[in-house]
Amino acid sequence: MTALPRHRNRWRFPGPHIDLHRPELPSRSAELRAEPTPVVLDPSRTALVVVDLQNDFCAPGGWLAGIGVDVSVLATAVELSAQAVSAARAADLPVIWLNWGNRPDQANLPPGVTHVYDPSGTGEGIGSRTPGTDSSVLTKGSWGAALVDGLVAEERDIHVDKYRMSGFWDTPLDSILRNLRVDTLIFAGVNSDQCVYATLIDAACLGYDVVMLTDASATTSPPYCHEATIYNTRQCYGFTAATPDLLDALDTADDRSEEDPA
């Protein structure tokens, strides 16, 4: 049986009492070149959330490609997300894989969600079979719900199935993040203007600090949709950054805590 990793949110039992102090998370500082302004984040309180980099969206044989969408525009985001994941692990940031993984019976899906993926009502959306793979579209345990080639999950990573554009609705994502004791979320994935953005907005509204990696996020929508998402993220919700700058920030992070202003 694999031993569980040391949990960030547990009581201690030194005896005879129970110590309600949580494990100490040593404060670190990482200076990140971001827009609209540079930020200093604490890697000990930061997680990387990677959204929907799964076969149905990103693979040439996936569902999206099968309905005629050019998924080649997502390849760079996949490559840069892999780099961000490696850097996050090296810096001991939790990696959250947030993918569509619907129930086979779709019992929790409202009609508005199913309509988005099957607007003509012909049964070609969620739960249908993808030609060539016979995979059930966006369904938990299917090939289409698995990570696309080029991305490999490790045992310590955390997987969360989602059932809406936002990963916070009807999922344990918020509880997981709060138990990780993180307050800053870095986002990558697809589609930047849809599921990445919806999850980022909900995160900001819940009080998390949010940073979107503009080059490790991409969309099959027209380019102006990605640009509008970047603008609105900076204007209304948080910050944007480039993956090389995140790698530099994590690589040069130190253990000096930011002093409180006088």
Side-chain angles (χ1 to χ4, degrees):
M1 181 176 179
T2 303
L4 293 174
R6 183 169 181 261
H7 206 287
R8 292 183 172 203
N9 191 27
R10 287 291 185 267
W11 298 336
R12 290 177 287 181
F13 297 81
H17 53 270
I18 295 175
D19 187 347
L20 303 186
H21 286 88
R22 271 60 169 175
E24 182 178 354
L25 299 180
S27 180
R28 294 182 286 160
S29 293
E31 297 183 10
L32 176 62
R33 290 185 290 273
E35 296 289 345
T37 181
V39 297
V40 178
L41 56 84
D42 183 352
S44 298
R45 303 297 297 269
T46 301
L48 174 65
V49 181
V50 188
V51 182
D52 287 354
L53 294 186
Q54 58 196 96
N55 287 319
D56 266 338
F57 292 131
C58 302
W63 169 71
L64 207 57
I67 61 173
V69 177
D70 178 12
V71 300
S72 66
V73 297
L74 308 178
T76 297
V78 173
E79 295 172 5
L80 291 174
S81 292
Q83 294 180 27
V85 167
S86 295
R89 290 176 180 144
D92 202 26
L93 273 65
V95 174
I96 314 292
W97 299 104
L98 182 63
N99 283 7
W100 281 92
N102 288 295
R103 294 167 53 101
D105 62 10
Q106 301 179 34
N108 63 328
L109 289 186
V113 173
T114 57
H115 172 74
V116 168
Y117 293 91
D118 184 19
S120 63
T122 57
E124 295 178 345
I126 294 172
S128 64
R129 296 290 178 176
T130 303
T133 67
D134 201 35
S135 173
S136 185
V137 171
L138 300 178
T139 300
K140 183 178 178 65
S142 69
W143 173 84
L147 293 177
V148 69
D149 286 349
L151 298 173
V152 178
E154 292 189 354
E155 187 176 14
R156 59 176 169 163
D157 298 343
I158 297 172
H159 298 263
V160 178
D161 296 321
K162 71 181 182 67
Y163 321 106
R164 307 287 192 277
M165 294 287 183
S166 170
F168 283 99
W169 283 94
D170 204 15
T171 79
L173 179 59
D174 187 46
S175 295
I176 289 170
L177 293 172
R178 296 191 188 282
N179 273 299
L180 288 172
R181 295 167 65 198
V182 302
D183 46 43
T184 300
L185 304 179
I186 299 171
F187 285 92
V190 302
N191 280 301
S192 57
D193 58 325
Q194 298 171 21
C195 292
V196 175
Y197 192 40
T199 307
L200 180 148
I201 290 173
D202 278 351
C205 290
L206 285 165
Y208 294 98
D209 307 323
V210 298
V211 180
M212 187 180 81
L213 297 179
T214 57
D215 53 354
S217 302
T219 183
T220 55
S221 304
Y224 62 78
C225 296
H226 186 65
E227 294 303 319
T229 300
I230 292 171
Y231 174 86
N232 284 330
T233 296
R234 295 172 180 170
Q235 183 74 10
C236 303
Y237 301 110
F239 308 90
T240 66
T243 301
D245 291 331
L246 174 67
L247 305 188
D248 288 344
L250 295 179
D251 186 53
T252 58
D254 59 39
D255 294 328
R256 294 173 298 175
S257 299
E258 187 77 14
E259 293 185 2
D260 293 331

